[in-house]
């Protein structure tokens, strides 16, 4: 008996499709050494994830990503006072705004186009605001059939209702869908919802995860999206 036909492919956005690290390094004060800027960017990103997880754990609704980023940046600078003097209000505002303009990883555009050519429906399904996703589509030149944000859904991933609600909105069964993400919490949530999963490894994300464990949790584990079309096809064999 053949597997169900895949109808919809959902992509996490920041990190999975977009190289947020390069974009952030460009906007952080350039007088800070590059290695230090990289560490600041990685820590800021992790603090953002931790803040979202804390809101979800206490049943609070999603807030604007700009507020989360601004708050976590202030907290980060308190931990690194040696750099705080370089971040006046204008600089901090510029750093937060930069998250609305990030480039795509080079392997992403051809993968998206190949999947579209195969007739799959392609969606963004990510935490953040709808305005953020619209801006990022412009900066990355990536085109999707629909954008689903935590703001629009009213809940953060990986809450079960976020996956359930998104699937209901596009009228697709879990087994007819694939979640593509560079975050293990996301693919775990998708698995629990009955979706197929493809984990994309990005060196910028999931720095605390055991990659060997992540490999065993997902249907496929890829180092980039170059082979994504082929593995999606394998779901239908």
């Amino acid at each position: 008996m053949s597997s169900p036909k895949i109808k919809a492919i959902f992509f996490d956005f920041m990190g999975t499709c977009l190289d947020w690290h390069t974009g952030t390094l460009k906007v952080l004060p350039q007088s800070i050494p590059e290695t230090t800027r990289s560490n600041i960017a990685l820590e800021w990103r992790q603090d953002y994830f931790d803040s979202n997880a804390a809101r979800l754990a206490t049943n609070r609704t999603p807030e604007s990503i700009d507020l989360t980023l601004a708050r976590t940046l202030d907290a980060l600078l308190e931990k690194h006072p040696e750099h705080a003097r370089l971040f006046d209000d204008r600089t901090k505002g510029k750093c937060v705004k930069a998250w609305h303009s990030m480039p795509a990883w080079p392997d992403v555009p051809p993968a998206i186009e190949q999947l579209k050519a195969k007739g799959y429906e392609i969606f963004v399904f990510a935490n953040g605001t709808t305005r953020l996703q619209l801006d990022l589509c412009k900066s990355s030149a990536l085109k999707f059939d629909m954008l689903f944000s935590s703001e629009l859904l009213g809940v953060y991933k990986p809450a079960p209702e976020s996956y359930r609600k998104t699937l209901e909105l596009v009228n697709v069964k879990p087994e007819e869908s694939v979640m593509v993400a560079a975050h293990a919490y996301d693919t775990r949530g998708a698995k629990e919802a009955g979706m197929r999963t493809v984990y994309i490894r990005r060196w910028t994300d999931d720095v605390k995860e055991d990659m060997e464990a992540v490999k065993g949790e997902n249907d496929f584990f890829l180092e980039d999206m170059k082979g994504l079309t082929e593995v999606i096809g394998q779901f239908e064999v």
Side-chain angles (χ1 to χ4, degrees):
M1 184 177 178
S2 61
S3 300
K5 178 177 174 57
I6 298 299
K7 296 181 179 178
I9 304 172
F10 296 91
F11 287 85
D12 177 65
F13 214 12
M14 197 77 78
T16 303
C17 294
L18 305 173
D19 177 9
W20 63 266
H21 186 267
T22 294
T24 304
L25 251 61
K26 288 180 179 179
V27 75
L28 290 173
Q30 299 299 294
S31 59
I32 300 175
E34 183 173 346
T35 300
T36 305
R37 273 185 286 135
S38 177
N39 290 335
I40 289 173
L42 291 167
E43 187 174 353
W44 188 15
R45 175 72 164 158
Q46 185 60 50
D47 289 348
Y48 163 75
F49 281 127
D50 292 344
S51 178
N52 283 354
R55 290 187 70 85
L56 180 60
T58 53
N59 295 315
R60 285 178 286 172
T61 58
E63 70 175 353
S64 168
I65 189 173
D66 293 349
L67 293 177
T68 310
L69 288 169
R71 187 179 64 256
T72 51
L73 178 58
D74 284 338
L76 179 64
L77 293 174
E78 288 182 7
K79 292 187 289 183
H80 299 282
E82 68 275 18
H83 303 305
R85 63 180 179 78
L86 301 174
F87 290 82
D88 56 18
D89 288 344
R90 181 176 177 276
T91 300
K92 287 192 286 188
K94 187 178 178 182
C95 289
V96 170
K97 187 178 180 181
W99 289 86
H100 285 254
S101 182
M102 295 293 178
W105 293 105
D107 54 286
V108 175
I112 296 292
E113 292 308 311
Q114 289 167 14
L115 290 168
K116 284 183 176 180
K118 293 284 187 180
Y120 297 112
E121 292 180 332
I122 308 296
F123 304 102
V124 166
F125 175 26
N127 291 334
T129 62
T130 299
R131 180 71 263 168
L132 173 77
Q133 293 178 353
L134 289 167
D135 292 341
L136 291 171
C137 283
K138 291 178 181 179
S139 68
S140 65
L142 296 174
K143 294 179 173 59
F144 298 86
D145 293 310
M146 181 71 182
L147 309 174
F148 293 100
S149 65
S150 54
E151 178 188 47
L152 191 66
L153 297 167
V155 63
Y156 288 116
K157 293 185 297 179
E161 57 265 38
S162 66
Y163 301 91
R164 183 170 59 249
K165 188 172 184 178
T166 302
L167 291 168
E168 288 175 354
L169 286 169
V170 297
N171 194 23
V172 170
K173 297 176 182 178
E175 62 270 21
E176 297 172 335
S177 66
V178 181
M179 186 73 226
V180 180
H183 308 119
Y185 75 83
D186 196 354
T187 54
R188 287 172 188 143
K191 270 289 184 187
E192 289 183 11
M195 301 172 69
R196 312 296 186 85
T197 61
V198 178
Y199 185 92
I200 308 295
R201 185 175 188 176
R202 301 294 190 194
W203 73 269
T204 54
D205 289 77
D206 271 2
V207 294
K208 295 182 178 180
E209 289 285 347
D210 178 349
M211 285 297 121
E212 288 304 312
V214 173
K215 286 180 182 179
E217 295 172 358
N218 290 279
D219 294 305
F220 290 98
F221 181 102
L222 301 177
E223 295 291 341
D224 54 41
M225 291 194 193
K226 292 177 182 176
L228 183 58
T229 303
E230 288 72 21
V231 300
I232 296 293
Q234 292 185 43
F235 285 124
E236 301 176 335
V237 176

